[in-house]
Amino acid sequence: MTLSNIYKLLDQVLETGEPLEIERKGQTLKIVPPTSPHKLDRLPSNRGYLGCDPEEIVHLDWTGDWNP
């Protein structure tokens, strides 16, 4: 294993937040990121999903449609 492969594995741990276990000389080493990223942080961006600016939705006036 080359040094560049080790760095790729370390980058993978940082990107995914998932620990990595490596066996070396009969012992298991566990590489764990300092904090795990939240699952939602790994979701791909869907900026075009709404078809409008999210701020427009936040400031909609629903008082005319509200029936308590």
Side-chain angles (χ1 to χ4, degrees):
M1 179 181 291
T2 65
L3 197 55
S4 63
N5 290 343
I6 291 171
Y7 289 128
K8 287 178 186 176
L9 292 173
L10 294 174
D11 288 340
Q12 177 183 339
V13 170
L14 290 173
E15 290 170 10
T16 64
E18 296 180 20
L20 175 67
E21 291 186 1
I22 299 173
E23 191 169 318
R24 173 107 170 128
K25 297 183 179 181
Q27 294 190 357
T28 302
L29 302 168
K30 190 170 188 178
I31 301 170
V32 183
T35 58
S36 296
H38 194 273
K39 283 193 270 186
L40 297 178
D41 292 339
R42 294 191 302 254
L43 287 175
S45 175
N46 272 335
R47 302 260 330 141
Y49 182 74
L50 292 175
C52 67
D53 181 14
E55 286 297 315
E56 293 176 21
I57 295 172
V58 172
H59 300 292
L60 281 176
D61 182 14
W62 293 93
T63 56
D65 298 320
W66 176 253
N67 293 322

